[in-house]
Amino acid sequence: MAVEAAEVLRIAPALAERPLVHPAWVRISHWINAAAVVMMIMSGWQIYNASPLFGWGFLFPPGVTLGGWLAGALLWHFAAMWLFVVNGLVYVMLGFATGRFRKKLVPIHVGEAVSDVRAALTGRLTHDDLAVYNAVQRLLYVGVILAGVLVVLSGIAIWKPVQMQTLTALFGGYDAARYVHFFAMAVIAGFVVIHVVMAFVVPKSLRAMITGR
Ligand code: HEM
């Protein structure tokens, strides 16, 4: 017993001194974003089913959609949109203001990214130091942030095509903006699948996104 107590006393300072990998603002905005994205994608799929872009009938099985019918899905989509946009703006502004984006997400060297993708595909990519993102992570995180910006802008273009006609025109018109919105969603959905698998492959990264350390 005395030995166990001594051991706890010995490792306690080390645990407390574990470096903070993700500050609270990153963790809070990350999990709000995850919830908002899931709601936006599921309600978006219901909206899509009401007026499909591709001629394959029901692309998304009703069981994976949110809202029950078109009007219900639109309400979910717009409610989650405010959460996604406000939370995203806070994250992006703090990302720039605190220097986190500069320190963690850049630079991205093409050569490194290619060799890291190769290593990832052959199961040799390591993530020992949680404080440093590898080139694949940097690429994916910057990519998904840009896809998030694109999904919001194309969403505004199809939500308010009269008031925001310049933006809608920049996308090449209402119909083109719908395709952009769809493919930006597909990029985000693809990212989420890979990202969640990786989080469970490296559980300590998941723990750090919850506890910070
Ligand atoms: C339930 C779903 C999710 C889980 C389990 C999850 C898990 C994680 C984990 C563990 C990390 C830290 C990675 C590391 O330290 O190596 C992380 C970071 C990140 N995740 Fe997620 N995530 C989820 C959903 C999302 C979604 C939906 C998005 C965006 C569409 C997203 C975007 C990001 C970004 C941009 C980072 C880097 C944040 C930064 O360092 O500033 N995640 N996520």
Side-chain angles (χ1 to χ4, degrees):
M1 200 62 171
V3 175
E4 268 174 35
E7 180 64 8
V8 169
L9 283 176
R10 194 180 64 77
I11 61 170
L15 286 178
E17 278 165 21
R18 269 193 196 171
L20 185 67
V21 182
H22 303 302
W25 66 267
V26 170
R27 285 175 280 141
I28 294 170
S29 60
H30 178 268
W31 293 118
I32 290 178
N33 175 67
V37 166
V38 169
M39 288 190 278
M40 295 226 62
I41 290 181
M42 289 174 68
S43 55
W45 287 349
Q46 177 82 45
I47 299 167
Y48 174 92
N49 280 344
S51 172
L53 282 171
F54 308 102
W56 315 318
F58 259 36
L59 187 53
F60 304 107
V64 297
T65 65
L66 183 65
W69 65 308
L70 177 59
L74 284 166
L75 291 178
W76 274 100
H77 208 60
F78 292 134
M81 177 269 284
W82 288 111
L83 198 61
F84 180 69
V85 170
V86 173
N87 180 67
L89 280 175
V90 170
Y91 169 72
V92 170
M93 284 190 308
L94 286 175
F96 282 114
T98 61
R100 182 177 179 85
F101 284 174
R102 193 170 30 81
K103 272 184 262 164
K104 299 237 173 194
L105 301 185
V106 287
I108 302 170
H109 298 296
V110 179
E112 249 175 64
V114 171
S115 67
D116 280 357
V117 167
R118 248 190 229 132
L121 292 176
T122 51
R124 286 180 295 107
L125 189 64
T126 56
H127 186 29
D128 296 332
D129 183 357
L130 292 181
V132 180
Y133 291 141
N134 58 49
V136 176
Q137 284 179 297
R138 289 176 186 209
L139 201 63
L140 287 178
Y141 295 155
V142 171
V144 81
I145 292 167
L146 293 178
V149 172
L150 194 60
V151 93
V152 170
L153 291 179
S154 55
I156 293 172
I158 55 182
W159 179 36
K160 300 281 179 199
V162 176
Q163 296 87 334
M164 306 298 284
Q165 49 190 275
T166 312
L167 181 65
T168 312
L170 277 176
F171 279 108
Y174 181 87
D175 291 323
R178 269 195 80 191
Y179 281 98
V180 173
H181 198 62
F182 183 92
F183 287 114
M185 173 283 293
V187 167
I188 295 173
F191 163 86
V192 173
V193 172
I194 297 172
H195 183 63
V196 173
V197 169
M198 294 313 286
F200 284 93
V201 168
V202 188
K204 66 178 180 178
S205 73
L206 189 54
R207 198 170 52 229
M209 194 39 104
I210 296 167
T211 67
R213 295 178 193 276

